[in-house]
Amino acid sequence: MDEIVVQLKSLALTEALPLLLKVIGALFIWFIGRAVIGGFRKVLDMGLQRRQLDATLIRYVGSLFSGTLTLMLIIGILGVMGVETTSFAALIAAAGIAIGAAWSGLLANFAAGVFLLVLRPFRVGEAIEAGGVTGIVQEIGLFVTTLDTADNVRISVGNNKMFSDNIINFSHHSQRKLTVKVPLMHGVDVRVLQQALLDRMPSVKGVQERPAPQVEIEEFTLQGPVLTVSVFCKPTEYSDTQANVGEAIAETLFIAGYTVPMPATLASPRALAKAG
């Protein structure tokens, strides 16, 4: 019995005590390392905020930074514990390759999201057309961008699809040009209608004074000339201004006495006889 006790004491001194010291040292390194990583991340976040970067980009960079340092800390602790880190690092690399191959689509969206946040072709609240969708940007995420369409439908588009397509930003400039075509029939006094429309446009709600509205003859067709009414408005008021301009054009043509001539097929003697 005494021999067993002696062996246990010897085993505790030679094996258990060093292991216990390693565990205590590993815990100490873990807590100190996490505190240092947390301090570095706060400094990084403050530096990025001073540069006025997007909040999503700041969170992404901070998470990537702390995650990388935490992984290095774990590998260092395993080395202190006596674990062979070379094979462990190789295992992590192999797992990373496998995960990357399986999540290639997500990683592509992730990388595209970073470029969208850095390059900023559009911002939250702007009206854009990209990835086959037209709407107002609600959120630029790390994997998808969320837009609300004109008919109040929310659509999430993968960042990779959006970034690889043409991006049309309707809200980038403070003014947006609105053009409405007005087809006329042969025989009308085009100059009179041009002047009437030109006088009416400045009073339309949403139409800005500068640049001044324009009414021009765009083309001549078999039916008659086609006028274009061009005005400028705020991007956020485009739809309302378009409706107001259309109503003003119809009202102006009516006041000017413009009526659409009866087509030749309806002006035949038989049609006139029926009309009489």
Side-chain angles (χ1 to χ4, degrees):
M1 186 67 182
D2 293 338
E3 292 181 358
I4 296 176
V5 172
V6 172
Q7 290 179 357
L8 290 175
K9 289 182 178 179
S10 177
L11 182 62
L13 292 175
T14 57
E15 299 293 338
L17 184 59
L19 180 61
L20 180 61
L21 293 177
K22 289 182 180 180
V23 171
I24 294 174
L27 292 175
F28 179 78
I29 294 174
W30 169 258
F31 287 113
I32 295 298
R34 289 296 299 170
V36 172
I37 292 173
F40 281 152
R41 177 165 182 177
K42 288 182 180 179
V43 173
L44 178 63
D45 290 344
M46 292 175 59
L48 295 177
Q49 289 174 0
R50 290 195 190 99
R51 294 178 177 272
Q52 298 180 348
L53 296 181
D54 188 86
T56 306
L57 179 61
I58 294 176
R59 289 195 299 269
Y60 160 72
V61 174
S63 300
L64 183 62
F65 176 79
S66 60
T68 303
L69 291 184
T70 301
L71 182 61
M72 295 175 62
L73 177 63
I74 293 175
I75 295 176
I77 291 175
L78 292 176
V80 172
M81 294 289 293
V83 178
E84 183 61 37
T85 57
T86 304
S87 58
F88 184 74
L91 180 62
I92 292 178
I97 294 175
I99 293 173
W103 291 358
S104 59
L106 288 177
L107 293 177
N109 287 327
F110 183 79
V114 175
F115 281 111
L116 289 176
L117 291 171
V118 173
L119 300 178
R120 291 188 178 185
F122 55 83
R123 301 171 184 266
V124 173
E126 293 183 337
I128 68 168
E129 179 182 346
V133 178
T134 302
I136 298 177
V137 180
Q138 301 298 320
E139 181 183 1
I140 306 173
L142 292 179
F143 296 99
V144 297
T145 296
T146 305
L147 300 92
D148 283 349
T149 61
D151 51 350
N152 204 29
V153 175
R154 175 156 293 189
I155 301 178
S156 297
V157 184
N159 289 332
N160 187 39
K161 181 178 181 180
M162 180 165 291
F163 189 71
S164 60
D165 195 5
N166 293 331
I167 299 176
I168 303 175
N169 191 334
F170 300 108
S171 304
H172 180 75
H173 298 290
S174 60
Q175 294 177 324
R176 183 177 174 185
K177 187 177 182 180
L178 168 63
T179 301
V180 178
K181 292 186 177 182
V182 184
L184 302 176
M185 303 294 290
H186 286 298
V188 300
D189 194 334
V190 178
R191 296 300 180 186
V192 172
L193 293 180
Q194 271 188 284
Q195 190 60 44
L197 291 172
L198 196 59
D199 294 339
R200 181 69 175 86
M201 287 301 108
S203 61
V204 177
K205 184 178 179 181
V207 174
Q208 297 188 345
E209 296 181 359
R210 293 288 182 272
Q214 295 180 339
V215 180
E216 300 175 340
I217 300 176
E218 181 180 273
E219 59 179 333
F220 290 92
T221 65
L222 295 176
Q223 290 75 28
V226 177
L227 300 181
T228 55
V229 180
S230 302
V231 300
F232 283 85
C233 63
K234 294 181 180 179
T236 55
E237 301 176 354
Y238 184 85
S239 298
D240 294 336
T241 305
Q242 187 177 34
N244 296 336
V245 169
E247 293 178 1
I249 291 174
E251 179 184 346
T252 302
L253 294 179
F254 178 78
I255 294 175
Y258 172 73
T259 56
V260 179
M262 185 179 299
T265 55
L266 296 180
S268 61
R270 182 179 298 179
L272 293 175
K274 290 182 179 179

